[in-house]
Amino acid sequence: MLFLQFKVGNDRYVLEVKNIIEIVPFVHLKLIPKAPPYLAGLLNYRGTTIPVIDISYLMNNMACELKLSSRIALIKYTVDDGKSICLGLLSEHMTETVRFNENDFSDSGVNLKDHPYLGKVVIDDNGIVQKVDINKLIPEEAHEILFDGSY
């Protein structure tokens, strides 16, 4: 399977590419006053407004550093009613794809109920890589803000 690799701090994570629409360079985002800190802003994507979530902030309480390797992954996110919407995920070092077989992954041995998006792990030549479940990444409070049209 093909995965998009990114970093949060010094740790590597992967997302399955099957839900990724496009990777775009980081551009200026329209900030939203009083929004939670993980909501990086709004992206004008071909005339459509796309909310962008800062993965670094969600996972590590530190805003994504705006580096040359920082990217926004536009993903197809399935909401509770089964409808898919486009959502942006901002992260550092989002520049490589990697291949792993599904059976290469194993349980991490750690179950964090408050962070259900953290999935199985795989070890490669550069260390441990952890899979992130896109559909479990967005916190419950963000569902109300993003998917009820109230932002």
Side-chain angles (χ1 to χ4, degrees):
M1 297 178 71
L2 188 62
F3 295 90
L4 174 65
Q5 182 173 272
F6 65 95
K7 282 188 176 181
V8 174
N10 292 321
D11 294 316
R12 295 180 305 139
Y13 298 90
V14 291
L15 299 169
E16 287 185 52
V17 298
K18 70 179 182 179
N19 293 319
I20 296 174
I21 300 165
E22 186 176 347
I23 307 297
V24 296
F26 180 79
V27 295
H28 177 74
L29 301 173
K30 193 298 189 195
L31 299 180
I32 303 170
K34 310 272 186 193
Y38 56 79
L39 186 56
L42 298 173
L43 170 68
N44 175 357
Y45 176 69
R46 300 180 184 171
T48 301
T49 303
I50 307 293
V52 176
I53 302 293
D54 184 336
I55 298 177
S56 297
Y57 197 91
L58 269 182
M59 294 176 73
N60 209 20
N61 287 335
M62 293 176 48
C64 174
E65 289 187 42
L66 305 180
K67 302 178 176 186
L68 287 174
S69 65
S70 298
R71 302 280 190 272
I72 298 171
L74 299 176
I75 63 162
K76 184 171 50 173
Y77 185 83
T78 304
V79 291
D80 295 335
D81 64 4
K83 186 174 99 176
S84 291
I85 65 157
C86 185
L87 187 63
L89 299 178
L90 170 64
S91 188
E92 300 165 24
H93 303 283
M94 192 181 276
T95 57
E96 291 183 47
T97 57
V98 291
R99 286 194 183 274
F100 296 112
N101 292 321
E102 188 63 36
N103 57 1
D104 292 340
F105 288 90
S106 61
D107 288 329
S108 69
V110 177
N111 182 10
L112 299 175
K113 293 184 192 260
D114 291 340
H115 305 285
Y117 55 84
L118 293 172
K120 295 182 175 185
V121 297
V122 64
I123 298 173
D124 67 9
D125 293 340
N126 297 313
I128 299 172
V129 182
Q130 189 162 28
K131 191 185 327 180
V132 171
D133 184 339
I134 291 175
N135 288 319
K136 294 178 182 176
L137 181 64
I138 308 304
E140 196 59 41
E141 75 167 24
H143 279 243
E144 188 175 313
I145 295 168
L146 295 171
F147 309 131
D148 291 343
S150 48
Y151 61 89

